Amino acid sequence: MTRPLTVMLVAAESSGDGLGAGLARALKARAGAENIRLVGVGGPRMAAEGIESPFDISELSVLGWIEGLKAYGRVKRRVADTVAFARREQPDVAVLIDSWGFTIRVAKALRIALPDVKLVKYVGPQVWASRPGRARILAEAVDHLLTLHAFDPPWFEQAGLATTFVGNPSLAIDFSGADGQRFREQHGLAPERPLLLILPGSRPSEIERMTPLFEATVARIRETHPDTAVAVVIADTVAAQARAAVAGWPFRVTLVEGEAAKKDAMKAATVALACSGTVSTELALAGAPMVIAYRLSGLSYAIMRPMVTARHITLFNIAADERIAPEFVQNEASPGALAQAVVARLDDPALRRDQVRRQYEALDLMGRGRPDPSAAAAQAVLEVAGRA
């Protein structure tokens, strides 16, 4: 009897935790739960699939040069912890999910500690946006790459890395059971009342920087639109911090927690104001017009800005090569500018409808409607492990 295949999944932040959970489900479905043993590092969604993490990943969710330098000691310790965990569990294949700064260090350390383990990177660095040299670095560190975007593979294949385009699991999120009317009824919101949905991010640094900005933006909006209801999505990775940050807002706020409630809220929203990230794809799938904002520390932004070549930061804007959803980055992300963009959409149903239509078209360009990306990723992992 063939022994179960041991697959180690490593995720360091909320979006990776979601990818890891989807991959875990697909691996069990494809290989049979009795034929696969899943271990790894992750968050609550991977835990729900039976993967018990040896430490809390929320401390690894950092973005930006300065933030990364401050967290270097912590990251280095957790890399060592992850490798020690791998030594104990002896995986046949390790899948390192997103989170470039952390997972590239894990990959290099695993290559030394367990040279026979196959290493798969799930989501490559955005070399098409900045620092293309990272393609070569990754090619030297892992055996295979799984990408979310059809335009990714050539960048890595020319560096000698075997690459499989599997698609973006965010595009396969099922909103068929989501109900905006249910959300409004649960929270006493009339069907015609405008609802602004705030999504402040899933990293501690995002909550720290974006919640004060969004609070000031909402205050501006309510000066001229006092009837606008406000709901805030609380990511599970930063739940306590986000609740505390919003608790002092001087107007009534509905907190949204859990996947089902989040989907209902997205369907109910008149307009969304979101921190840049994978949530923009979810909002677009839900048919919510949105305004996107992002801020880094001033020094991190100054260091990173010259390296960035992409014209947009939102994935569907990048796919369409068009500013479908307005984006406000760093100094452009002011309360006045954000409020103006939100109010324009609150006041103009035709503008909202047009934006939603164009968002859907961009999602089609990204591959909406393809076969399940998690299943494709699972098949690729099993092929790398020689168990397909």
Side-chain angles (χ1 to χ4, degrees):
M1 180 177 177
T2 304
R3 70 174 180 83
L5 178 74
T6 298
V7 180
M8 180 174 174
L9 307 181
V10 179
E13 58 186 3
S14 179
S15 58
D17 183 39
L19 288 172
L23 177 56
R25 285 191 297 273
L27 283 167
K28 288 183 284 188
R30 189 162 290 261
E34 70 281 2
N35 297 318
I36 199 153
R37 174 173 169 259
L38 297 173
V39 300
V41 172
R45 281 171 281 187
M46 286 171 59
E49 298 301 323
I51 300 172
E52 185 175 346
S53 181
F55 55 82
D56 185 351
I57 66 170
S58 63
E59 63 188 64
L60 295 173
S61 190
V62 295
L63 186 69
W65 283 78
I66 303 307
E67 293 84 350
L69 288 173
K70 290 179 180 177
Y72 178 72
R74 185 167 70 246
V75 169
K76 189 175 179 181
R77 287 192 299 273
R78 290 314 191 188
V79 168
D81 292 342
T82 302
V83 174
F85 181 79
R87 284 183 184 274
R88 286 198 307 273
E89 301 296 339
Q90 291 292 306
D92 299 294
V93 58
V95 183
L96 312 175
I97 306 169
D98 211 351
S99 303
W100 169 257
F102 179 70
T103 56
I104 192 63
R105 289 176 172 85
V106 171
K108 291 177 178 179
L110 284 177
R111 186 65 90 202
I112 295 169
L114 297 168
D116 293 333
V117 173
K118 294 290 186 180
L119 300 181
V120 177
K121 185 73 174 70
Y122 190 6
V123 187
Q126 295 177 337
V127 294
W128 39 266
S130 67
R131 290 172 283 175
R134 291 180 298 177
R136 178 184 51 78
I137 293 170
L138 186 61
E140 294 171 353
V142 303
D143 300 298
H144 204 95
L145 170 65
L146 310 179
T147 75
L148 306 188
H149 313 299
F151 50 77
D152 277 332
W155 291 87
F156 297 94
E157 289 170 343
Q158 66 185 6
L161 179 58
T163 303
T164 301
F165 165 53
V166 298
N168 189 340
S170 294
L171 293 171
I173 293 175
D174 183 8
F175 278 89
S176 62
D179 189 334
Q181 182 179 346
R182 176 172 57 206
F183 182 87
R184 286 178 174 269
E185 289 174 352
Q186 288 173 343
H187 298 286
L189 302 174
E192 68 278 3
R193 187 177 179 188
L195 172 62
L196 174 61
L197 185 64
I198 305 287
L199 301 100
S202 59
R203 297 183 174 98
S205 61
E206 291 169 347
I207 300 303
E208 180 182 345
R209 290 199 176 87
M210 304 308 292
T211 51
L213 171 62
F214 289 165
E215 177 187 357
T217 299
V218 174
R220 292 280 190 100
I221 293 167
R222 287 173 64 87
E223 288 176 2
T224 56
H225 294 66
D227 189 46
T228 301
V230 179
V232 178
V233 172
I234 305 294
D236 50 20
T237 49
V238 289
Q241 182 190 5
R243 287 191 214 103
V246 174
W249 286 14
F251 34 79
R252 182 178 177 183
V253 174
T254 297
L255 300 184
V256 181
E257 301 191 53
E259 285 298 305
K262 182 179 75 171
K263 290 179 181 178
D264 284 354
M266 288 179 171
K267 280 287 191 180
T270 309
V271 181
L273 175 59
C275 174
S276 176
T278 55
V279 74
S280 62
T281 301
E282 295 179 53
L283 286 166
L285 284 168
M290 73 196 79
V291 175
I292 300 296
Y294 207 81
R295 280 184 178 176
L296 289 167
S297 73
L299 187 52
S300 287
Y301 182 75
I303 293 171
M304 293 179 68
R305 184 67 189 92
M307 304 178 190
V308 175
T309 56
R311 296 173 54 198
H312 314 287
I313 63 171
T314 305
L315 283 175
F316 61 76
N317 284 350
I318 293 169
D321 195 22
E322 181 183 0
R323 192 63 60 91
I324 298 170
E327 300 175 351
F328 299 87
V329 179
Q330 210 62 9
N331 294 334
E332 294 176 352
S334 67
L338 294 176
Q340 184 177 18
V342 170
V343 166
R345 284 153 181 78
L346 289 174
D347 287 345
D348 191 342
L351 176 60
R352 297 198 301 269
R353 287 194 298 270
D354 182 65
Q355 182 171 335
V356 169
R357 175 186 60 78
R358 292 161 65 207
Q359 287 173 180
Y360 281 145
E361 291 173 351
L363 292 176
D364 290 339
L365 292 174
M366 290 171 62
R368 181 173 62 152
R370 283 177 52 86
D372 179 20
S374 292
Q379 177 65 22
V381 169
L382 293 172
E383 288 176 0
V384 171
R387 295 286 190 95

